[in-house]
Amino acid sequence: MGYNARFKVWRGDNTDGDLEDFTVEVNEGEVVLDVIHRLQATQTPDLAVRWNCKAGKCGSCSAEINGRPRLLCMTRMSAFAEDEVVSVTPLRAFPVVKDLVTDVSFNYEKARQVPAFAPPPELALGEYRMDQLDVERSQEFRKCIECFLCQDTCHVVRDHEENKESFAGPRFFIRLAELDMHPLDVRDRTREAQETHGLGMCNITKCCTEVCPEHIKITDNAIIPMKERVVDTRYDPLVWLGNKIPRRSGAAASRSLHSGDVTTAEAQARGRLRQKPTDTTALTTLQQALHGQGRFADAAGASRSRVEHAGRVRTARQGALAAHAWELLCAVESGQLDLDGVEDEIATTLQQAQRLTSTGTVLAGTHALHHLVHGRLAEAAEHAREAIVWDRDRATRADDLVTLSEGLAGLGESEEAASALAESQSLWPDNPRLAGVRSNLDDMNVHGRPTPAASVDEG
Ligand code: SF4
Ligand code: SF4
Ligand code: FES
């Protein structure tokens, strides 16, 4: 049901202005921006308001409603009582252009003062790689729609024009935190945040977090971690050096791995882990470097530590558990570990990983290999086929084709097994599993007996 609401809307420009009273119709389901548009259409055609998407995504319609920084398009009229007077005013921290439109160029100035992502100079375009864990860590900050409500509410600049020169504001603290967390960024962002962008002026009142329409935990996840690092680095230069050097060696290890130099990657990751044994990115690199050398039992040791330090973030934990189950299975398949000795660990790890996965198909390839090492060849082939349907990257597909090939060969379907193996080799010729598997298959084709891994279970 519609009703007439009373509004006070600020009208004016940078030199003068005042609140003007309006009575305006409101219909069910409307947001404040709808009412402002009705005012424009029916009473004040020259009322200035900035908006674009009316979906909370462009960040244009920021204003203050009853004194609180909010998006006009995301504030429902049902949030106010019908007899309540709703005031709509421009963002207070920025100069007014006209009516509800403010000049937010302060924020663009500040954006320009944050140097762009700075990868190591020796890395060519196209060689940038980062671990999923690192992607997820800064994902939250990338949701920012640049509405600048956090900038508007921050008391450091809201009523203190004089602070603007030396204070970048919460929106840019999350940008700095995002860059600081990037494993390939070589600038000292924490020091810059403190010395150039006024991080020290923030007294973590969390007002910025409260108004963020994207629910970014600006204070807890960006500002406080950076402040903690400032304490570490500013007051103890040795700690700063200690933190920076291994971090770079961690990034170098990751680069070596992606360039295919697995032995250098192993050495660099071990160097990083000597400094910080809990660094999950270095543990992942070490695990992958060892896997790349066909040292699956050692890789399982690294993945075990990865699980221990994975924390409670669901995707990171699931990734670590899945990787650990996979390394254990590869080690059993290649004869580097005895199935009896690790079967309980495999089963528990797989169970825990499965509980954290979003779909039943994520671990299909791992389940296939699990069946294979138990000699359950038909189940192995079935799960491998299921996995291949969903495989999105070449290496995973290549691995699942190897499993399929082994399963089929054990079932006597040697032609299809050979074709799966050939496809796998073409996708990933250096797959370390291939060396062991080829000889197993050769033996099987010549002698018509099951794979050694299968015989482990039967014995
Ligand atoms: S927590 Fe810091 S940046 Fe956020 S509003 Fe408060 S003083 Fe400003
Ligand atoms: S951090 Fe939140 S409040 Fe600040 S500009 Fe980005 S989306 Fe807006
Ligand atoms: S109009 Fe785009 S966020 Fe409101």
Side-chain angles (χ1 to χ4, degrees):
M1 288 290 286
Y3 67 98
N4 284 329
R6 284 181 299 148
F7 265 67
K8 281 184 181 293
V9 180
W10 198 90
R11 308 292 314 271
D13 58 25
N14 208 14
T15 55
D16 196 19
D18 207 350
L19 287 167
E20 227 175 88
D21 292 317
F22 296 97
T23 300
V24 57
E25 181 190 330
V26 175
N27 296 311
E28 197 174 338
E30 288 186 331
V31 294
V32 175
L33 186 60
D34 291 315
V35 177
I36 296 292
H37 282 161
R38 183 164 298 116
L39 276 179
Q40 277 183 326
T42 59
Q43 302 182 46
T44 58
D46 63 337
L47 173 65
V49 60
R50 188 189 279 131
W51 70 286
N52 278 286
C53 68
K54 200 168 177 278
K57 285 297 157 216
C58 72
S60 307
C61 66
S62 304
E64 298 194 3
I65 303 173
N66 289 351
R68 184 183 164 88
R70 306 185 77 150
L71 295 179
L72 295 176
C73 73
M74 296 305 283
T75 307
R76 295 200 162 274
M77 283 305 298
S78 56
F80 310 104
E82 292 189 5
D83 58 356
E84 187 175 350
V85 179
V86 179
S87 74
V88 185
T89 50
L91 296 175
R92 176 158 137 188
F94 308 117
V96 173
V97 176
K98 183 175 184 310
D99 302 336
L100 301 177
V101 176
T102 48
D103 175 1
V104 292
S105 52
F106 160 76
N107 300 291
Y108 306 133
E109 282 303 317
K110 293 295 168 186
R112 267 193 286 274
Q113 288 167 16
V114 177
F117 168 59
E122 68 273 17
L123 210 59
L125 277 176
E127 287 179 358
Y128 302 167
R129 301 283 184 276
M130 65 193 283
D131 197 86
Q132 186 60 28
L133 189 69
D134 294 311
V135 175
E136 280 152 18
R137 202 177 292 153
S138 58
Q139 194 83 2
E140 176 189 12
F141 306 139
R142 302 190 73 89
K143 290 192 303 179
C144 174
I145 57 169
E146 302 220 300
C147 62
F148 306 130
L149 292 180
C150 56
Q151 301 284 91
D152 178 58
T153 204
C154 178
H155 66 91
V156 177
V157 288
R158 188 170 170 85
D159 291 313
H160 296 280
E161 195 62 30
E162 70 279 11
N163 287 340
K164 281 189 173 171
E165 195 180 332
S166 44
F167 185 74
R171 190 277 167 263
F172 301 101
F173 293 150
I174 65 170
R175 173 66 180 146
L176 286 158
E178 179 195 335
L179 290 164
D180 192 41
M181 290 175 189
H182 198 297
L184 293 178
D185 189 84
V186 296
R187 291 185 76 101
D188 185 357
R189 303 288 178 174
T190 309
R191 183 176 288 252
E192 288 172 359
Q194 181 73 8
E195 292 176 0
T196 314
H197 303 288
L199 181 68
M201 295 165 86
C202 159
N203 53 359
I204 51 176
T205 52
K206 298 199 183 186
C207 316
C208 48
T209 302
E210 277 171 27
V211 299
C212 177
E214 286 295 313
H215 308 292
I216 300 169
K217 294 199 169 60
I218 304 171
T219 331
D220 286 350
N221 293 349
I223 295 178
I224 292 175
M226 277 203 298
K227 277 179 173 280
E228 285 171 350
R229 281 198 289 281
V230 167
V231 174
D232 282 351
T233 58
R234 191 176 169 88
Y235 301 108
D236 188 345
L238 284 179
V239 173
W240 177 79
L241 266 178
N243 283 341
K244 206 65 188 172
I245 291 167
R247 186 179 138 162
R248 286 187 180 164
S249 77
S254 179
R255 284 199 301 281
S256 301
L257 180 71
H258 291 297
S259 69
D261 186 353
V262 283
T263 45
T264 305
E266 180 193 346
Q268 288 166 328
R270 285 192 191 283
R272 168 62 173 145
L273 289 165
R274 272 194 291 280
Q275 305 287 335
K276 191 177 177 197
T278 57
D279 184 328
T280 47
T281 303
L283 282 167
T284 305
T285 305
L286 177 64
Q287 172 214 319
Q288 292 170 346
L290 292 166
H291 185 102
Q293 297 169 58
R295 292 160 57 193
F296 304 123
D298 294 339
S303 58
R304 192 175 289 117
S305 305
R306 218 183 125 186
V307 171
E308 277 165 23
H309 301 298
R312 286 196 288 183
V313 175
R314 190 181 64 83
T315 43
R317 190 150 190 83
Q318 194 271 332
L321 286 162
H324 186 43
W326 182 253
E327 295 300 358
L328 287 169
L329 287 165
C330 289
V332 170
E333 180 192 41
S334 62
Q336 294 172 25
L337 287 178
D338 178 41
L339 181 61
D340 288 342
V342 289
E343 174 52 5
D344 285 350
E345 189 179 0
I346 293 173
T348 315
T349 310
L350 256 176
Q351 243 174 29
Q352 290 174 349
Q354 191 67 59
R355 270 205 295 271
L356 297 173
T357 56
S358 46
T359 73
T361 52
V362 173
L363 290 168
T366 312
H367 286 305
L369 187 53
H370 194 203
H371 284 301
L372 189 74
V373 300
H374 276 281
R376 299 187 292 259
L377 303 176
E379 288 91 334
E382 186 191 329
H383 279 78
R385 281 203 176 96
E386 185 191 352
I388 289 162
V389 171
W390 292 97
D391 284 339
R392 277 171 295 176
D393 70 87
R394 291 166 72 91
T396 313
R397 189 179 173 83
D399 257 326
D400 291 335
L401 281 161
V402 170
T403 309
L404 177 64
S405 169
E406 284 196 276
L408 289 172
L411 293 166
E413 296 173 32
S414 47
E415 208 170 305
E416 212 188 324
S419 130
L421 190 64
E423 188 184 342
S424 176
Q425 281 172 316
S426 72
L427 288 171
W428 185 8
D430 299 329
N431 185 349
R433 277 180 75 205
L434 281 174
V437 168
R438 270 197 219 104
S439 67
N440 285 350
L441 293 178
D442 285 350
D443 285 353
M444 199 159 40
N445 287 339
V446 173
H447 306 297
R449 61 181 166 78
T451 65
S455 62
V456 168
D457 191 46
E458 289 166 5

